Amino acid sequence: MKYAVGVDVGGTNIECGILDELGNVLIKRKYPTKPERGVDAILESIAVTLEQLSEEAGIAAHDIEVIGLGIPGLVDPEAGISLRAVNLNWNQVPVAAKLRAITGKPVFIDNDVRMYVYGEAVAGAGRGHDYVYGITIGTGLAAAFVQRGEIHRGHNFMAGEIGHVPVDHGTFACGCGRIGCLETIVSATGIAKQAQTRIELGEASLLSEWFPDVKDIRSSDVSRACLAGDDLSRDVLEQTGRVLGRALAWVVPTLSPDVIVIGGGGALAGELIFAPMREELNHRLLQDYRNHFAIKSAELSDDAGIIGSALWALHQHKQG
Amino acid sequence: MKYAVGVDVGGTNIECGILDELGNVLIKRKYPTKPERGVDAILESIAVTLEQLSEEAGIAAHDIEVIGLGIPGLVDPEAGISLRAVNLNWNQVPVAAKLRAITGKPVFIDNDVRMYVYGEAVAGAGRGHDYVYGITIGTGLAAAFVQRGEIHRGHNFMAGEIGHVPVDHGTFACGCGRIGCLETIVSATGIAKQAQTRIELGEASLLSEWFPDVKDIRSSDVSRACLAGDDLSRDVLEQTGRVLGRALAWVVPTLSPDVIVIGGGGALAGELIFAPMREELNHRLLQDYRNHFAIKSAELSDDAGIIGSALWALHQHKQG
């Protein structure tokens, strides 16, 4: 049996796992990234963790064929370089070469959202679909497209950043320095922010009974309040779904996916967001496109990143 | 020397050409489609035209390796079937098999816009670019994406129909039966219609001096009037560019092209449309995307369709 390692490097936590060729997670561990210690210490910590994990799982080091890493920000997967990862303070870091030097294994890297969507595409909600468009609604919003098992990266490996297109009536400041980007509405942060802002402007909500300080409201609270009958929360989730639907109305005819997989914390609201999204989308699509694709929740939850990284690394390694 | 035939089947005219492997058009002919005579008579007319052309050009029939056809509407290129071409009144027509039976040559078909964009991608304005997004601004608006020499078709071969996404403030009826689709503004028809409507509503324009009946105004007249200093015409072209720029703000991060090639009659206005389009687009894109792609006018004009069809057929044939 051959094994692969999948690593999801986040600004807060690193998750490492050892998987079999089918994408089953045999053992995994999550630990704090501590970006301030620098890239070499972080990569060293990954190598040490892998040694420990393989020992614990009784997997011989030589049976681990390959290592895959998902890294936030801009990645050059062909050169194995992290071009820019703001949260990690990485710039032009040759991650693949460095980790290969420590571990002796072939290392493949790509953007973390692409690895997540690849995992869902081949082993999660996209299984059996040829054209998988995946979105993660988390702190921000990003997307990736997997076509017949290959990841679309585009020029400069930059395909997928649809979270920073301004939307109508968007007024919130975005982390990118501009105003009203899609992800200021359609993200876990955006959902919480919409509720907070409307309550601060005087609208009534169950949430203000639950939270004396509106700043404590999280997107999951908005879903919870909606299910408890709160009108404001229902409206926030509906608006979020509609804004996403209007964005996807451009993506669907551009790519023609046969499934849209939606993951990330903000997607846990499920149909509370998906139903208005679907309505808006169908209203805006040509008859031919309507309902010719599925809309699904991500299935692998937190493991999608390590599963995608490991399976993509195996796939790349096979292709030589 | 090996040759290939490219055919562009339109609702009004058919254009046939014989090309060499490099995409040079050696001889070509254009003649009326007359869709009412039915598919068999039309395909027969193509076969006869090809015989005449090869005789005139002194090319032996056996040196013609392959035939490529661009067909409007929905095409299944894998099965060689025209699924639906409204202007031709074709439904589920096995075009490739029929034409192969008449000519004895391998026949490859695809949607006409894809063939046009493929031609521009490999032999026109997209030459040397890896990720070519092409748009035709004609009677309607459609697009295609060619990635490293391969055409993106998507699920059900339906990628590219972005002309039917509704845009803000769109009020014109669309041929698809809905209101305010992108192509009601961004098309040759849409440009003329915007000018006509505003003049009918009482706005002053050089065009009303030139045309006693506003219905006679064409998109080329709007460009001409703009160059002659007409404010209304300038504004119409600027609005058209801005609406297109807002649409492309979703396409660019989705695909990350390294060039956008714009063709069709409505694109002859060139910078009068491109400049406001570029401004709107840059305003809406993340810094990383700005100016990281080129915007170019199509170069092959009317020949892009037959060049793309011939070269694509050769490419497909080589792949077996």
Side-chain angles (χ1 to χ4, degrees):
Chain A
M1 192 65 170
K2 287 288 177 64
Y3 301 96
V5 164
V7 185
D8 189 12
V9 183
T12 310
N13 290 304
I14 292 172
E15 191 165 1
C16 287
I18 301 178
L19 292 85
D20 65 21
E21 290 171 287
L22 303 172
N24 297 304
V25 180
L26 305 176
I27 187 167
K28 63 175 176 174
R29 182 170 303 158
K30 199 174 185 172
Y31 63 95
T33 308
K34 299 185 197 144
E36 63 281 4
R37 58 183 162 157
V39 61
D40 290 321
I42 289 174
L43 295 180
E44 190 62 50
S45 82
I46 291 173
V48 169
T49 305
L50 294 183
E51 260 178 52
Q52 294 171 349
L53 289 177
S54 62
E55 205 175 303
E56 283 174 38
I59 293 167
H62 67 262
D63 283 338
I64 293 179
E65 198 166 345
V66 71
I67 300 175
L69 269 82
I71 298 171
L74 201 52
V75 175
D76 179 342
E78 290 171 5
I81 294 173
S82 164
L83 297 171
R84 191 182 64 224
V86 176
N87 293 344
L88 298 168
N89 199 22
W90 289 4
N91 274 291
Q92 303 285 339
V93 178
V95 172
K98 278 175 178 280
L99 192 57
R100 178 168 197 147
I102 308 175
T103 62
K105 303 285 179 190
V107 176
F108 296 90
I109 71 172
D110 207 328
N111 168 271
D112 58 348
V113 174
R114 278 188 205 129
M115 294 296 86
Y116 178 99
V117 172
Y118 184 77
E120 286 290 341
V122 299
R127 241 184 359 260
H129 290 273
D130 277 340
Y131 302 93
V132 180
Y133 188 68
I135 310 170
T136 58
I137 306 180
T139 314
L141 180 146
F145 183 57
V146 176
Q147 176 178 344
R148 295 186 169 163
E150 297 296 330
I151 297 172
H152 174 68
R153 297 183 183 127
H155 179 53
N156 289 352
F157 318 107
M158 276 178 53
E161 288 287 354
I162 64 157
H164 295 283
V165 182
V167 296
D168 294 338
H169 317 301
T171 55
F172 296 150
C174 185
C176 75
R178 298 182 304 154
I179 305 286
C181 293
L182 177 63
E183 73 171 39
T184 64
I185 304 288
V186 186
S187 62
T189 330
I191 291 168
K193 176 96 175 172
Q194 290 175 75
Q196 290 162 1
T197 306
R198 290 173 61 168
I199 291 168
E200 284 173 338
L201 289 171
E203 285 190 56
S205 168
L206 209 49
L207 288 164
S208 37
E209 295 174 27
W210 293 356
F211 296 93
D213 184 349
V214 294
K215 293 288 172 236
D216 295 333
I217 298 171
R218 299 282 167 271
S219 66
S220 54
D221 303 317
V222 180
S223 298
R224 204 155 47 90
C226 177
L227 294 172
D230 183 49
D231 285 341
L232 181 140
S233 296
R234 178 187 317 280
D235 198 55
V236 163
L237 295 172
E238 184 174 326
Q239 288 306 319
T240 304
R242 291 198 177 280
V243 169
L244 181 56
R246 286 200 285 277
L248 292 177
W250 292 105
V251 172
V252 167
T254 299
L255 297 174
S256 194
D258 60 349
V259 66
I260 298 177
V261 177
I262 306 180
L268 296 176
E271 280 300 312
L272 299 174
I273 289 179
F274 298 174
M277 179 194 84
R278 195 182 287 115
E279 194 183 296
E280 191 76 25
L281 191 48
N282 280 338
H283 174 65
R284 287 167 173 265
L285 290 175
L286 270 186
Q287 182 67 42
D288 286 333
Y289 289 114
R290 271 176 238 169
N291 305 314
H292 98 143
F293 54 89
I295 294 172
K296 297 187 181 177
S297 288
E299 286 177 5
L300 306 175
S301 69
D302 283 352
D303 287 344
I306 59 172
I307 294 172
S309 301
L311 293 180
W312 178 244
L314 279 171
H315 176 69
Q316 295 274 89
H317 191 51
K318 263 180 215 153
Q319 292 193 321
Chain B
M1 191 65 169
K2 287 288 178 62
Y3 301 95
V5 164
V7 186
D8 189 13
V9 183
T12 309
N13 289 304
I14 292 172
E15 189 163 4
C16 289
I18 301 179
L19 293 85
D20 66 20
E21 289 171 287
L22 303 173
N24 297 306
V25 180
L26 305 176
I27 187 167
K28 64 175 176 174
R29 183 169 301 158
K30 198 174 188 172
Y31 63 94
T33 309
K34 297 185 198 144
E36 63 281 4
R37 59 183 162 156
V39 62
D40 290 322
I42 289 174
L43 295 179
E44 189 63 49
S45 81
I46 292 173
V48 170
T49 305
L50 294 182
E51 262 179 50
Q52 293 171 349
L53 290 177
S54 61
E55 205 175 300
E56 284 174 37
I59 293 166
H62 66 260
D63 283 338
I64 293 177
E65 197 165 345
V66 71
I67 300 175
L69 270 81
I71 298 170
L74 200 53
V75 175
D76 179 342
E78 289 170 6
I81 293 173
S82 164
L83 297 171
R84 190 182 65 224
V86 175
N87 293 342
L88 298 167
N89 199 23
W90 290 3
N91 273 291
Q92 303 285 339
V93 177
V95 171
K98 277 175 179 280
L99 191 58
R100 178 169 197 147
I102 308 174
T103 62
K105 304 285 179 191
V107 176
F108 296 90
I109 70 173
D110 207 327
N111 168 270
D112 57 349
V113 174
R114 278 188 206 130
M115 295 296 86
Y116 177 99
V117 172
Y118 184 77
E120 286 290 341
V122 299
R127 241 185 358 261
H129 290 273
D130 277 340
Y131 302 93
V132 181
Y133 188 68
I135 310 171
T136 59
I137 306 180
T139 313
L141 180 147
F145 183 56
V146 176
Q147 176 178 343
R148 295 184 171 166
E150 298 296 329
I151 299 172
H152 174 68
R153 297 183 183 126
H155 180 52
N156 289 352
F157 319 106
M158 275 178 54
E161 289 287 354
I162 65 156
H164 294 282
V165 182
V167 296
D168 293 338
H169 317 300
T171 56
F172 296 150
C174 185
C176 75
R178 297 182 306 154
I179 304 286
C181 293
L182 177 63
E183 73 171 40
T184 65
I185 305 287
V186 187
S187 63
T189 330
I191 291 167
K193 175 98 174 169
Q194 289 174 76
Q196 291 162 0
T197 306
R198 290 174 59 168
I199 290 168
E200 284 174 337
L201 289 171
E203 286 190 56
S205 168
L206 209 50
L207 288 165
S208 38
E209 296 174 26
W210 293 356
F211 296 93
D213 185 349
V214 294
K215 294 287 173 237
D216 295 331
I217 298 170
R218 298 283 167 270
S219 66
S220 54
D221 303 317
V222 179
S223 299
R224 204 155 46 89
C226 177
L227 294 173
D230 184 49
D231 285 341
L232 180 139
S233 296
R234 179 185 317 280
D235 197 56
V236 164
L237 295 172
E238 184 174 325
Q239 288 306 319
T240 304
R242 291 198 179 279
V243 169
L244 181 56
R246 287 200 284 276
L248 292 178
W250 293 104
V251 172
V252 167
T254 299
L255 296 174
S256 194
D258 60 348
V259 65
I260 297 178
V261 177
I262 307 181
L268 296 177
E271 280 301 311
L272 300 174
I273 289 178
F274 298 172
M277 178 193 85
R278 193 182 290 115
E279 194 184 297
E280 190 77 25
L281 191 48
N282 280 338
H283 175 66
R284 287 168 172 264
L285 289 176
L286 270 186
Q287 183 67 41
D288 286 331
Y289 289 114
R290 271 176 238 168
N291 305 315
H292 98 143
F293 54 89
I295 294 172
K296 297 187 179 175
S297 289
E299 286 177 5
L300 307 176
S301 70
D302 283 354
D303 288 344
I306 59 173
I307 294 172
S309 301
L311 292 181
W312 179 244
L314 278 171
H315 177 69
Q316 295 273 88
H317 190 51
K318 262 180 216 153
Q319 293 193 319

